[in-house]
Amino acid sequence: MAEKTAGEKIGELRDRLAKAQHLVVLTGAGISAESGVPTFRGQDGLWRQYRAMDLATPEAFQEDPKLVWEFYNWRRELLAPLRPNPGHLGLVELEKRLPKFTLITQNIDGLHQVAGSRNMLELHGNLWWVRCTACGMKEEDRTVPLPVLPKCRSCGGLLRPHVVWFGEMLEPPVLNASYEAIEQSDVMLVIGTSGTVQPAASMGVLAKRTGSLVAEINLDPTPYTDAYHISISGKAGDIIPQLVDG
Ligand code: BJW
Ligand code: ZN
């Protein structure tokens, strides 16, 4: 049988969404790419000569906190003026229409929140929050740039970005709430993620195993493209609005 066209797949998914009771959406860097946020594994994921992956680790911060803070200040400067795109906005519309909706994002850029998404779980933290390495105090701080090195207001300890680095645990309440939503979902969309970073990478397969229809939207194939029920090749900012409007 001939491969379905993107239009046919979008139509099928739209019909399924019209009947969905609990939609879970997992997003990655790809949904913010059209807003101007560099992806991690794309050509634009470099700062100076460093790959983001080499600086987003507890080891890098321990060795050279100044370098790591300069990297995060650069990203804060880059992201501060950026706005949500039609992909983020389409998800806000889906949240309004569906009986139950949970957005699980790996992104730390905060653009889903700016767009107006409400029931949201930030798996990898948020770039606009800082956390004290000494007393654990957490707060939102949108200052750009932050002083290098930034210090805690209550104890003077060194602050770090409130994000999850490689080798660190995700916050258990956030992870547990994600698994609970996935188990209760009847449809899951996996959007703009390369499916290479655990535990997020396995969430679509878990949804499939627990009975959800799983659809992927991505510009390029991923390790899971053939495993999901529906895979739509294209830009999130083009495809998501078609799921809403059609
Ligand atoms: C478009 C598009 C458009 C472009 N439209 N699409 C099991 C096995 C082996 C290893 C592990 C394991 N479990 C855990 C690990 C270790 C590790 C891991 O997964 N390693 C792998 C590399 C194998 N995981 C962890 O350490 C996690 N912690 C953990 O599990 O703790 C317990 C534990 C620890 C150690 C061992 C075992 C257990 C923590 C992971 C934290 C990830 N943190 C980062 C940085 C956040 C802070 C920061 O940004 O500074 O999170 S890494 C980075 O990758 C970031 C992202 O959220 C994450 C995922 O990236 P994403 O979103 O998929 O982006 P890209 O760039 O990869 O892909 C973009 C996609 O978009 C592409 O597919 C494009 O095609 C597409 N695209 N434009 C649609 N317009
Ligand atoms: Zn402190």
Side-chain angles (χ1 to χ4, degrees):
M1 208 173 74
E3 164 84 354
K4 287 181 189 143
T5 64
E8 286 167 339
K9 292 186 203 172
I10 292 168
E12 191 182 332
L13 183 54
R14 201 191 296 134
D15 292 346
R16 195 64 191 73
L17 285 172
K19 290 180 273 176
Q21 290 301 310
H22 187 170
L23 172 65
V24 169
V25 180
L26 172 69
T27 62
I31 195 166
S32 293
E34 291 158 74
S35 292
V37 181
T39 59
F40 289 89
R41 289 155 192 89
Q43 291 304 314
D44 51 358
L46 281 178
W47 171 70
R48 299 189 190 162
Q49 74 273 35
Y50 301 97
R51 288 180 308 156
M53 295 306 89
D54 298 332
L55 296 172
T57 70
E59 293 78 16
F61 188 68
Q62 196 150 13
E63 200 171 299
D64 196 345
K66 196 165 165 282
L67 176 74
V68 173
W69 261 119
E70 282 169 359
F71 167 60
Y72 279 91
N73 261 339
W74 171 75
R75 289 173 69 194
R76 288 164 74 97
E77 214 160 297
L78 184 78
L79 264 61
L82 302 185
R83 304 291 308 156
N85 67 58
H88 298 105
L89 298 171
L91 295 183
V92 177
E93 194 51 41
L94 284 176
E95 180 165 17
K96 285 186 194 149
R97 290 188 194 181
L98 283 150
K100 202 139 193 263
F101 176 98
T102 308
L103 176 58
I104 305 172
T105 187
Q106 297 170 82
N107 299 344
I108 64 166
D109 56 39
L111 287 175
H112 284 301
Q113 197 190 347
V114 176
S117 286
R118 289 289 164 258
N119 192 26
M120 192 178 49
L121 297 161
E122 293 182 314
L123 280 183
H124 296 162
N126 191 304
L127 180 68
W128 302 106
W129 282 65
V130 292
R131 183 167 90 232
C132 178
T133 57
C135 75
M137 185 280 302
K138 294 189 267 214
E139 65 180 359
E140 189 173 8
D141 188 339
R142 291 193 167 256
T143 314
V144 179
L146 281 167
V148 173
L149 298 165
K151 297 288 162 55
C152 175
R153 284 192 295 119
S154 48
C155 81
L158 175 63
L159 293 176
R160 59 165 281 176
H162 182 48
V163 299
V164 182
W165 286 324
F166 272 115
E168 292 186 319
M169 295 290 292
L170 280 67
E171 286 191 5
V174 175
L175 192 58
N176 292 338
S178 302
Y179 286 137
E180 203 172 302
I182 288 167
E183 277 162 28
Q184 290 168 1
S185 69
D186 51 359
V187 182
M188 177 162 175
L189 304 181
V190 179
I191 305 175
T193 175
S194 60
T196 51
V197 176
Q198 297 293 354
S202 303
M203 288 183 173
V205 171
L206 177 67
K208 192 178 170 192
R209 209 182 303 138
T210 53
S212 302
L213 176 116
V214 184
E216 177 181 71
I217 300 171
N218 200 305
L219 210 46
D220 293 321
T222 74
Y224 298 97
T225 298
D226 295 333
Y228 296 144
H229 299 101
I230 302 176
S231 288
I232 303 172
S233 172
K235 287 188 175 180
D238 288 340
I239 309 290
I240 299 169
Q242 295 182 57
L243 296 175
V244 178
D245 294 334

